[in-house]
Amino acid sequence: MSFSPDGQILASASQDRTVKLWSLDGTELHTFEGHNCWVTSVSFSPDGQMLASTSDYMVRLWSIDGTELHTFRGHRDGLNSVSFSPDSQMIASASNDGTVILWNLDLDDLLRRGCDWLRDYLKTNPNVSESDRHLCDGIGTQK
């Protein structure tokens, strides 16, 4: 279970494969569906705009309205815990396989890293169109 940052909503993880949001008086506010196995952990982001939940081998990221934003896969065994960083830009997930994975949610950082990795390909591959050669201009480290 996890309290929202303002303390007004409680999120619960369940064996019925759902995450539920509850008001403090016990009224069910919303049900998040999408897991294939029982949900083992749930955590609110510090900004209160997202939830992360774990089941089986994956972490699911949700907007507070119940829209699934992304599914993260990478563990080799079931997950037992999930937590956001204080700035809501990373998720840490812990698994029974003895690993912790840090998932980067900082889209600007991911875009910089991707462009730094892709830049030479865009410049030198003869099959890239002229307009696509400039996709990463102004993003990340220029070479």
Side-chain angles (χ1 to χ4, degrees):
M1 299 188 86
S2 178
F3 277 101
S4 62
D6 65 6
Q8 299 302 305
I9 299 173
L10 188 61
S12 63
S14 178
Q15 287 186 4
D16 70 1
R17 300 183 230 177
T18 66
V19 172
K20 293 185 187 257
L21 298 183
W22 306 88
S23 66
L24 296 181
D25 68 5
T27 303
E28 184 180 324
L29 302 173
H30 194 73
T31 300
F32 297 54
E33 297 180 6
H35 283 285
N36 300 323
C37 195
W38 68 323
V39 182
T40 55
S41 181
V42 64
S43 179
F44 271 98
S45 63
D47 63 11
Q49 299 303 304
M50 296 179 287
L51 279 169
S53 57
T54 61
S55 71
D56 206 13
Y57 298 83
M58 65 186 71
V59 177
R60 292 192 188 264
L61 181 65
W62 312 86
S63 69
I64 198 67
D65 68 4
T67 304
E68 185 176 340
L69 301 173
H70 194 72
T71 299
F72 299 95
R73 293 178 175 88
H75 287 285
R76 295 182 314 264
D77 202 347
L79 286 99
N80 52 45
S81 185
V82 65
S83 183
F84 279 88
S85 64
D87 63 1
S88 299
Q89 294 299 303
M90 295 190 90
I91 298 172
S93 57
S95 170
N96 294 327
D97 64 15
T99 63
V100 171
I101 295 179
L102 299 177
W103 306 96
N104 189 349
L105 303 179
D106 183 345
L107 298 181
D108 291 333
D109 179 57
L110 293 172
L111 187 58
R112 278 189 302 276
R113 289 178 190 219
C115 279
D116 286 348
W117 180 77
L118 190 59
R119 189 166 280 105
D120 286 340
Y121 173 84
L122 292 174
K123 287 182 179 179
T124 61
N125 188 304
N127 298 320
V128 174
S129 70
E130 188 58 34
S131 62
D132 287 347
R133 290 189 190 284
H134 304 285
L135 287 173
C136 290
D137 287 359
I139 299 170
T141 306
Q142 295 291 325
K143 291 184 180 180

